[in-house]
């Protein structure tokens, strides 16, 4: 699989499931939380509406990298994506991606002073991409066992996402 094909698979997976597990280093501990994101592929980034007071913004900006994890179990496709983090200044982009769901957390809408945008820009990704059929996986495991080999269960690769 060419790198551009892998990148495309990752962007497609990100678009298909907009809730990601976001991990970062905060206070010498890895913190992970689910976050709903807005994919902005034209600008090579993901945007997250967040509270300023939750600490995710400050922690993300101080963390050497932030990681997103995605899982498409039905396709046996998994990815861990390392990102750089920044806060998007201003309100224009916040207004552009605002959803009614965001209003549940920010009753004053996109002008709520506690609402802000966290921008994550993918830098690299590690993927695991295997056969999606459990029958194929079982066959490969059994064949490898009989032949005394390591099973070939797909691709594991680290790629540049820039």
């Amino acid at each position: 699989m060419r790198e551009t094909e892998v990148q495309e698979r990752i962007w497609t997976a990100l678009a298909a499931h907009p809730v990601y597990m976001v991990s970062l280093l905060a206070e010498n501990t890895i913190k992970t939380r689910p976050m709903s994101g807005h994919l902005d592929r034209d600008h090579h980034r993901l945007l997250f509406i967040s509270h300023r007071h939750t600490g995710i913004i400050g922690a993300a900006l101080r963390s050497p990298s932030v990681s997103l994890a995605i899982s498409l179990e039905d396709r046996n496709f998994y990815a861990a994506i390392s990102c750089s983090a920044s806060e998007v200044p201003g309100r224009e982009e916040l207004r552009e991606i605002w959803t009614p769901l965001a209003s549940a957390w920010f009753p004053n809408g996109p002008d709520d002073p506690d609402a802000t945008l966290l921008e994550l820009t993918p830098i690299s990704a590690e993927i695991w991409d295997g056969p999606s059929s459990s029958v194929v996986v079982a066959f490969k495991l059994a064949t490898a066992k009989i032949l005394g080999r390591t099973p070939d269960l797909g691709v594991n690769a680290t790629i540049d996402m820039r």
Side-chain angles (χ1 to χ4, degrees), residues 48-138:
F48 299 86
I49 299 171
S50 181
H51 287 273
R52 278 199 167 86
H53 74 270
T54 61
I56 184 91
I57 294 293
L61 298 178
R62 288 187 303 276
S63 188
S65 71
V66 177
S67 178
L68 293 175
I70 55 174
S71 168
L72 302 178
E73 292 178 25
D74 60 327
R75 295 187 189 129
N76 203 15
F77 181 82
Y78 307 88
I81 305 160
S82 294
C83 303
S84 64
S86 61
E87 184 175 5
V88 177
R91 297 274 165 201
E92 185 178 320
E93 289 178 285
L94 184 61
R95 285 186 193 97
E96 286 176 17
I97 69 164
W98 195 262
T99 64
L101 184 59
S103 295
W105 283 275
F106 303 98
N108 295 325
D111 292 318
D112 190 311
D114 191 41
T116 191
L117 278 181
L118 172 64
E119 174 185 279
L120 298 183
T121 303
I123 297 170
S124 66
E126 183 173 11
I127 62 125
W128 296 263
D129 189 8
S132 58
S133 166
S134 59
V135 173
V136 170
V137 170

Side-chain angles (χ1 to χ4, degrees), residues 34-47:
M35 292 185 75
S36 178
H38 171 81
L39 187 69
D40 182 4
R41 190 157 176 194
D42 291 340
H43 295 99
H44 190 74
R45 65 187 182 168
L46 294 106
L47 300 171

